[in-house]
Amino acid sequence: MTTQLHFDRTRLQILSKGDCLRLLGTVPLGRLVYTYGGLPAVRLVNFVLDDDTIVFSTGPGDKLRAAERGDVVAFEADDVDLERHVGWTVTAIGHLSVVTADEAAALRSTLPLHSWLPMDDPDLVRVGIESLQGRRLVPWGQRPRASLQTP
């Protein structure tokens, strides 16, 4: 049985939620997009996927304050092959929250959570995914002609 691929008007493959989650689990870095002082801010974070949520460590500062407020954020991760001109990007939208101390202890014992920055007693923060979208740039031979695209 073959799976029907769907493409957007720009001929990027539209990824399913399952594909998006699987791909998120294959990379260690992503970009957290949140509001800081009324303006958009983007910070690179190393993260892990915990079922269908994104978890990362943070110290005191603007990311932790955003999590304490429960701000709506975007999270983006990708992988690109510059030589072959293929790759993918996944964007998640959801509320940021601070992981409780008890749950953080359990997560630290079961997930490969490793901060790349030296932090004393970091907090764990979670993005509860409410919307998930992904696109993949496939090799030229696998791209549809313009007349075969779906919306």
Side-chain angles (χ1 to χ4, degrees):
M1 181 173 138
T2 59
T3 302
Q4 175 69 31
L5 300 180
H6 298 281
F7 293 84
D8 66 13
R9 62 180 172 72
T10 64
R11 296 185 230 177
L12 293 174
Q13 179 189 355
I14 301 169
L15 299 173
S16 69
K17 179 181 179 179
D19 285 338
C20 289
L21 290 171
R22 183 184 58 74
L23 290 169
L24 280 176
T26 66
V27 294
L29 292 173
R31 291 161 204 84
L32 179 70
V33 182
Y34 61 103
T35 303
Y36 177 67
L39 298 171
V42 180
R43 298 292 183 269
L44 193 63
V45 297
N46 58 301
F47 73 100
V48 295
L49 202 59
D50 179 30
D51 292 325
D52 61 353
T53 64
I54 296 160
V55 179
F56 60 92
S57 298
T58 191
D62 48 334
K63 293 187 299 272
L64 182 58
R65 284 190 295 276
E68 290 169 339
R69 291 189 303 263
D71 288 2
V72 174
V73 299
F75 187 88
E76 189 271 342
D78 54 50
D79 189 33
V80 177
D81 183 328
L82 296 175
E83 290 184 19
R84 295 178 44 225
H85 296 212
V86 295
W88 58 266
T89 184
V90 170
T91 303
I93 307 291
H95 285 82
L96 205 57
S97 63
V98 178
V99 176
T100 65
D102 290 342
E103 187 183 4
L107 288 175
R108 284 188 175 99
S109 70
T110 60
L111 294 177
L113 285 162
H114 305 287
S115 177
W116 289 12
L117 297 173
M119 287 189 270
D120 294 326
D121 197 28
D123 286 287
L124 293 186
V125 172
R126 177 188 309 275
V127 179
I129 299 172
E130 297 167 30
S131 169
L132 191 61
Q133 295 185 2
R135 298 289 188 271
R136 181 189 329 258
L137 182 60
V138 297
W140 283 101
Q142 295 176 19
R143 296 177 196 171
R145 293 187 314 247
S147 63
L148 300 177
Q149 301 165 37
T150 60

